[in-house]
Amino acid sequence: MPSWAFDYLVLPLGIYLARMTDVSIGTLRIILISRERKMIAAMLGFFEVLLWLIVITQIMRNLSNALCYIAYAGGFATGTFLGMFIEEKLAIGHSLIRIIVPEKGEEISENLIQAGYRTTSLEAQGARGPVKVILSVLRRRDIPIVLGILKQTAPGAFYTIENARKTSDPELWKGGEGEAESFARILWRRQSRIRK
């Protein structure tokens, strides 16, 4: 391979891919820290820094190669986007959904309960009169299911979704009957032991 091909094609591409990977890992690590997944975040941090050291070493050895700088910056931008995309697909953690409706509150609660979600209902006063507030803590990956139930029952319902950093109930991690124990549940148990 000619030296120009390595300097202007292979090296910048390697820097781009390594930087994209390490920033993706870093983005996931920060999100996992906010979800209190300490062990996984620490392991990801090790690989993130190792990749960063490899990349920065190559940059320092090739300070006159402007393509290395462009590859570094491009890898950072792509890695940030990719890390957020991966985290969104993994849907780690819990969310609190708050549904506020003037009518059909009982029906929404009943449909959610039948689908296996726990709910708490409150009577409240809105700007236009009495409303029902329905609260449910659920796994983030279940949000599309709950929104589907809500759309079928009360399409015009107002709702908000917030991250729930921690729950006191490990039963929220359980899957359906006969399902194998999930990776997330194993991690939850390990972290519970560490906290004690």
Side-chain angles (χ1 to χ4, degrees):
M1 174 186 295
S3 64
W4 67 265
F6 179 81
D7 290 343
Y8 297 108
L9 293 175
V10 175
L11 182 61
L13 182 62
I15 288 171
Y16 173 81
L17 293 174
R19 189 64 177 146
M20 179 183 72
T21 304
D22 103 74
V23 173
S24 296
I25 291 170
T27 304
L28 283 172
R29 179 183 57 81
I30 290 166
I31 292 167
L32 287 168
I33 287 170
S34 73
R35 304 261 193 274
E36 297 193 4
R37 303 287 193 268
K38 298 176 187 79
M39 296 299 286
I40 299 175
M43 287 187 297
L44 288 177
F46 172 83
F47 292 108
E48 175 192 357
V49 169
L50 183 63
L51 277 170
W52 181 82
L53 283 172
I54 292 167
V55 169
I56 207 68
T57 302
Q58 292 305 314
I59 293 277
M60 296 308 286
R61 285 183 183 162
N62 297 278
L63 288 172
S64 60
N65 189 344
L67 283 176
C68 290
Y69 301 136
I70 294 167
Y72 185 88
F76 185 90
T78 307
T80 301
F81 177 81
L82 189 60
M84 292 171 67
F85 178 79
I86 291 168
E87 194 279 333
E88 188 178 300
K89 292 298 175 192
L90 290 174
I92 298 166
H94 293 88
S95 289
L96 167 70
I97 186 165
R98 181 183 296 111
I99 304 163
I100 302 172
V101 287
E103 51 191 35
K104 293 194 175 180
E106 296 295 332
E107 191 178 344
I108 293 168
S109 290
E110 190 58 39
N111 289 345
L112 290 174
I113 291 167
Q114 285 178 2
Y117 301 103
R118 298 184 216 170
T119 65
T120 300
S121 298
L122 309 165
E123 301 292 337
Q125 187 67 33
R128 297 184 186 125
V131 293
K132 181 86 90 174
V133 179
I134 302 157
L135 306 170
S136 184
V137 176
L138 52 128
R139 293 174 296 188
R140 279 186 59 212
R141 65 178 168 206
D142 291 340
I143 289 172
I145 299 167
V146 170
L147 293 181
I149 293 168
L150 185 58
K151 189 174 181 181
Q152 286 178 344
T153 313
F158 176 80
Y159 64 88
T160 61
I161 300 171
E162 303 166 23
N163 286 328
R165 283 186 55 203
K166 194 188 254 186
T167 63
S168 61
D169 189 356
E171 298 300 310
L172 288 172
W173 288 99
K174 279 189 175 175
E177 290 294 319
E179 244 182 57
E181 188 171 43
S182 70
F183 181 62
R185 182 156 171 77
I186 292 167
L187 289 175
W188 189 91
R189 275 208 263 115
R190 283 187 185 162
Q191 288 180 357
S192 295
R193 281 191 221 123
I194 291 167
R195 286 187 198 115
K196 291 175 187 174

